[in-house]
Amino acid sequence: MSHTQDKSSALGQGVMIFVYLAVLTVLEFFVAVTFNAISILLVVAVIKAALVMYYYMHVYKLNNDDGTDEHSYQFKTGTNRIGLWLFLLSDAFVFAGLMTMRINLLGLTRPHQLDQNLGLAVTAVLLVSSFFMNRGETAMSYGDVKSFMNNTLITGILGLGFFLGVVFVEWRLAAHEGLIASFGNPAVGPLGGVFYMMTGMHAFHVLTGLIFLGIVWNNARKGLYTAEKHWGVEAATVYWHFVDLVWIFFYPALYLIGKAV
Amino acid sequence: MRHFVVVGVLVILLAGLTYIGLDTIGLMPDAASAQSIPIDWMWNWQVIAISFLFSLIIVPMGYSLFVFRRKKGDTTDAEHIEGNTALEITWTVVPLFIVVAFAYMGTFSLGEVLRADPNAMVINVTARQFTWTFEYPEYGVVSNELHLPYNRQVVLKMESMDVIHSFWVPEFRVKQDVVPGRVTEYRITPTLEGSYKVRCAELCGTSHAYMENAVIVASQAEYDAWVSEQQAIAAAAQTPEGQGQIMAVKNGCVGCHSADGTPLTGPTWFGLYGSEVTLADGTTVTADDAFLEESILDPNAAIVAGFPSPSVMPPYQFTDEEIATIIAYIKTLK
Amino acid sequence: MKKFLATALARGLLWQFAGTLLGAGLVTGIRALMGLSVNDVFFFTEPAWVMGGFSGVIAFLLGSGAVSDWVKWARGMDTPEHHEEPYSGWEKYFHVSLDHKVIGVQYTVVALALISIGGLFALIFRTELAASGLQFLTQDLNLFGQNGLQLYNTLMSLHGMIMIVSILLGIAGIINYVVPLLIGAQDMAFPRLNAFSFWIAVPAAVLLLMSLFLGGFDTGWTGYPPLSVRAPVGMQMFFLGVFVAGWSSILGALNVIATVLRMRAKGMNAMRMPIFVWAAIATSIIALTATQFIGLSFQLVMFQRLFGMGFFDPAKGGNPVLFQHLFWFYSHPAVYVFVLPGLGVISELLPVFARKPLFGYRWIAMSSLGIALVGFVVWAHHMFTSGMNEYLRLPFMYSTLLVAIPTGVKFFSWVATLWKGKITFPTPMLFVLGAIVVFLLGGLTGPPNATVSVDLHLHDTYFIVGHFHDTIFGGFVFPFFAALYYWFPKATGRRMNETLGKLHFWLMTPSFFVLTFGMMRIGLLGMRRRIADYDAALGFDATHLALTIAGYLIGLSVLIFIYNFFASVKNGEKADGNVWNSRSPEWQVPSPMPAHNYEQPFEVVGEPYDYGLEGSQYVKFIAPAKSGHK
Ligand code: HEA
Ligand code: HEA
Ligand code: CUA
Ligand SMILES: [Cu+2]
C-alpha cells in the first residue's frame, strides 16, 4: 500500500467529505420540506453516493497494480477486493429490487406516519459513524492500531445506536402512529409492508456490518493487522460504507420523496 | 462452388417441403373469431421463416457432416480458415432485417387484434376457483355458459375473486389473464357458429384442469331466444330453490359441486340432502340443514372423507335467508 | 457404511435434521409462551417450519465443516492455504474439499442425481397424462396430505424447479472443473467460497424435496401469488430452497468472474481465452446480479404469508403483477444462464472434432456477452397476457426479437466451422451435433412467442413447454452430456464406453424429437400447461401416449448413461494422453489431472483454435517462476 498523502491531510480529507455529506443531507431535508423537487433529491443522492464510493470506499483501488506474483499478499488483496466489490454489486440488486417495489406500490406518496426529525437523526448517526469508520481505516493504514480500535469502537456504538434506533424507536413510533406491517390490516395499504421491508433489510445489513466490525476489532486487539496487511479492516470498512450508501438512497425514498399519505 | 450450388438447392427444397408439410397438417385449431385472422396471418409468416431458417442451418450442416467427414486413414487437420468479415457482417445484418420486419408485422397484427368497436356489447365475467360466471348487464341474465351472438364484437370485463386465472378459447386465439384487484378486458368478434370451451390457462389450484365452461356462438336469432329463455327462468325463479340455484351459479359453488353426481373438486350435491356423510375422522353425520349450513360457512369444521384437509373450499359469508335458499336448492337434487 | 456416516455429507444431513427440529421447536416454544397455536396439519405451525428450514441449512453448513475455516479466520486463527487432501478415492468426494476439480465432480454428480429425481417426477406425472381421465392421481388419493390433482401439481412444479437447480449445479460443475484448467490457474480465486457454494446447494435440494412431504404446493415453478400465498406449508420450503440455491449460484458466479479476471496464465489476453471461458463469464454476470431478484421476490411472498405484509395482495393495496416483474427479471436471464455455458461447450468442442479453427472467434465471444446483456431487458415477454400496461408489450417484443441476432451468429459460425472440416463422430461430437439441431428448433420457436399477437394464443400451452424443453435440452442437456463424455478422461484417466455412449445418443435423440414435436403440436391445438387431466374431446390421447413413451425412453437412455459413467470410473479403457488430439492446455499434460493442476505453468503463445496451421502452438510450458511460495 503506497501512501500518496500524509496522515494529517488524509484526516483533513475525511473531515471535508464529512462536511460535504452533512451539508448535502441538510439540503435534501430542506428541499423535501419546502418545495419537494424529486429531481434535486435524486441529484443530491447521486452526488453523495459518488463521494462515499470514491473517498470512503476507495473504489479506485480496484485499479491498483498488484504485481504479478500470485502468492504475494498484495496480489491476493487485489483479488479479494474484486471479490468484495462483486459481492456488493450483487447485494445492490436486492436493494434495487426493494426500490422497484417501493416505486411500483407507493409511487409518489410516502407514509405520513414517519417522524421527519427522527429520520434525519438516524441518518445523521449513520453519517457520523461513516466518518469515524474512515478515520479508523486511515489510522490503520498508518499502522496506528490503538486509534483504529478507538474509532471503530465509536463507529460500532453509533451503528448499534442506528440499529436500535430503527428497530426499537422508529418502528415502534411508526406502529404507534398506525403504520403496522398490516397483520391483516388493510387500512394502511402497502405502506407498512414497504416501510418495514426496506428498513428491515437495511437494518439487517447494519447488523451484519456490526458483527464484521466486532470481528476485525477483536483481531486488531490481538495484533493481527499491520499498516501493510489489513485486508480484513479494509473489507469491513468498505462494507460499512456500502450500508451507508444504501441508506443514502433509502432515506429520501422513505422520508422525503412525494406526498405524505 | 459446386458445394454451394448443391446446398443452395437443397435449402430451398427442404424449406419448401417443410412449409408445405406443416401447412398441410394444419397447425392451428379452427379460427372462430375476427381476431384470429391477423394472428394466423402472423403465425403463417413465422412458420415460413422457421422452415427457411431451419433449412438454412441444417442443410449446410448435414452436408458438411456427410461430404466433409474424415476419410479413412487421413490424419491431417483441415484447412486453416479463421473467419471471414464480410460473411460475418452478412449474417448479423440479414437477421437484423428479418427481425425488423417481424417487429413491424407483429406490431401491425397486434393493432388489428386490439381494434375496438365502440358499440361492443359488454359482458361481465367473474372467475373463481374453479368456474366462470357470465353476467349480461343489458339483459339481467347470469349464466355459467358464455353465449355470444355471431359477428358482433363483445368486450368481456373480467374480474377474479381469488387467484389469477386466464381466459382462453383456443378457437378465438386470444388469451387474457384475470387478475384479482383489477378489471382486465378481452375483446372478441366471433365469426364461426359452434360450441367451444373457455379453458382457464393459468394454474389456479387443485382443479385448474377442470375450469372449463361452455362457449356457444349462435346466430342473432338463436342468441336472442337463449336470452329470453334465461330471462324467463330468472323471473320464474322466485321460489327459494330457484333463487338458491342462481346463488349457487353466481357464487361458483357449481364449479366444485355437481348437481348430477359427476365427481368434481367437491362432493356432488346429488342425493346429498338427508344422506349419511362419512367424515375424515371416521364419524358419520346426517346431512341435515344444520350440517349443510355449517359446511358452507366453515368448510373446515367437518371435512368429508376423501377430501383434503384443510378444505380447499373457500369460506363464504351468507345471510341466513341466502343459506336457506341454497339448502332448498340442494334438497331438490335427488 | 461406517465410513460413510463419518463423511461431511452424512454429518451435514444429520445436523440439518437436528437443526430443523431445533429451530422449529424454538419457535413452537416461543409461540406456546405467547399463547399462540402450536401445531398444525403438518405437526408444526408454518412459522416454526420456516425457522426450522432456515436453521437446518445453517446447521448443515456447520456440521459438514464447510465454514470451519472462516470461523477460524474470524477468531483470528490462520489456516493453511491448501489443505492437503486427507481422503482419497470415493471418500474425498463426500468431504469438504477445496480443490476445484473435486468440487466440480461433486457438483456434477449432485446435478445428475437431481436430474434423475426431477426426471422421475416427470415420468410419474407423464404416466398420469398418458390418457385422458385420471389414472392413479385420483381425487380420492391421499398422499402426503394431497389428493391426486394436488399431487400432480406438486410433482409438476417440483419437476420444473429441481431440473432448473440441477442445471445450475451442472453448469457450475463443468465451469468449476474446466475453467481453471483452461486458463492455467491452480484453483479458483476463492477456494473456500467455492466449497461453500457447493455445500450450500445440498441443504437447498433437501428443502425442495421436503416441500413434497409438507402438503406440496400447486403453483408451478413460477410461484405466482396470490395462489402461492394460499398454498400449504410446502410452498415455504420451496421458497427457502430456491432462496438458498440462489446463494449457491451467486457466490459461484462471483468466484468465476474473479478467477478469470485475476488468474489467467501469462499471455492469455481476452481474445486468446478459450471460448468456453467467455461463455462462463457471460453466464456469471447474469447469475451474480439477477439472481437476487428471484430471491427477493420469493422472500416477499414468504413475508406476506408469515406477517401479512400485503405486497402482492390487492385487498391491501398490493400488486400481484409486481411479483411477476421481479420474478421474471431473474428468471428470463436465468434461461441464458442455462444455455450460455452449453453453447460455450459446443463452440469449444466443434473445432476439435472438425479439425478446423473456430470460425469467427471474436464475434462468437461477443455474441455471448450480447445475449447476456440484451437478456436483461426482455423479461416481460412472459407477461404479455398478464394485464400489465398494454403498450409496454411492444418494447419487450422488440428487445426479445433482438436476441435472435447474436444467437444466429453462433449458429452460422458453427456451420462455417464444420464446412470443409475433417469431421469425426465420437460420442461427444454426436451430442454436440444433437445440441445444435435441438437448440435450433428451440430457438426458432422463440420468436413466435416473442411476437405479442401470436403469443396471446401460445402462452401457457404445451407449445411453450415444447419450446423450452427444446432450448433447455439443446442448450444444456446435450452439451452437458457432450462435456461429460469429453472431459471424463481428463478427470479419471479412463474413457467412457463408446458403444453405450452411442446407444445413449441414438435412444435419446429420436425420443426427444417425438417428445417436443408432440408437445408443440397439441399445444397449438389447445393443450394447456399444468393440467392433470385433459378433455377427451380434444383428441389428444394418442399423442399424449406417445409423449409418455418417449419420456420413458429418454429416462432409459439417461439410465444407460449413469451406468456407463460409474462403471467406466473403474473399468473404462485407460486413456491418459491427449485423447481427442486437442490444442487446449489441459490435454497437454497427462490424465488424470495432478492435484495442483499444472506442475509447470504455461504461457500463451498463439491462438487457441489454430487447427491446420503448420507449426502453430497455443501454449508453451515454462519453468515455474520463483516466488515466495508460502
Ligand atoms: C434454455 C432456455 C431458453 C432459451 C435459450 C430460450 C430462448 C428464447 N426464448 Fe424462451 N423460454 C424458456 C427457456 C428458454 N428460452 C422457458 C423455460 C420458458 C417458459 C417459462 C415458463 O413459463 O415456465 C420460455 C418461454 C418463452 C417465452 C414466453 C412464452 C409464454 O409463456 O407466453 C418467450 C416469449 O417471447 C420466449 C422467447 C424466447 C426467445 C425469443 C428466445 C431466443 O433467445 C431464441 C434465439 C434463437 C434463435 C432465433 C435461433 C437461431 C437464430 C438464427 C438461426 C438467426 C436467424 C433467426 C431469426 C432472424 C429469427 N421464451
Ligand atoms: C432441465 C430441465 C428439464 C428437463 C431435463 C426436463 C425433462 C423432461 N420433462 Fe420437463 N419441465 C421443465 C424442465 C425440464 N424437463 C420445466 C422447467 C417445466 C415447467 C414446470 C412448470 O410448469 O412449472 C417442465 C414441465 C414439463 C411438462 C409440462 C407439465 C405440465 O405443464 O403439466 C412435461 C409434460 O410432459 C414435461 C416432461 C418432461 C419429460 C418427459 C422429461 C424427460 O426428459 C425426463 C427423462 C427422465 C429422466 C432424465 C430421469 C432418468 C432417470 C431415472 C428414471 C432414474 C431414476 C432413479 C433414481 C431416482 C435413483 N416437463
Ligand atoms: Cu382458473 Cu386455472
Ligand atoms: Cu424469457
Side-chain angles (χ1 to χ4, degrees), chain A residues 17 21 46-61 85 88 238 241-242 245 248-249:
Chain A
I17 301 305
L21 290 173
V46 170
I47 297 176
K48 283 170 76 178
L51 288 175
V52 168
M53 290 231 289
Y54 194 81
Y55 290 104
Y56 282 173
M57 296 167 80
H58 314 301
V59 53
Y60 53 84
K61 282 190 184 171
W85 277 93
L88 298 182
V238 172
H241 291 307
F242 172 72
L245 187 73
I248 286 178
F249 291 97

Side-chain angles (χ1 to χ4, degrees), chain B residues 76 80 107 109 175 200 209-210, chain C residues 398 453 457 459 528 533 610:
Chain B
T76 57
H80 180 259
T107 312
S109 68
K175 185 179 291 124
C200 173
Y210 299 120
Chain C
Y398 304 149
S453 55
H457 180 62
H459 177 68
R528 297 169 284 157
D533 188 9
D610 268 344

Side-chain angles (χ1 to χ4, degrees), chain C residues 328 331-333 335-336 375 378-382 400 467:
Chain C
W328 288 115
S331 296
H332 176 81
V335 308
Y336 297 126
V378 305
W379 73 90
H381 66 212
H382 295 273
T400 305
H467 157 71

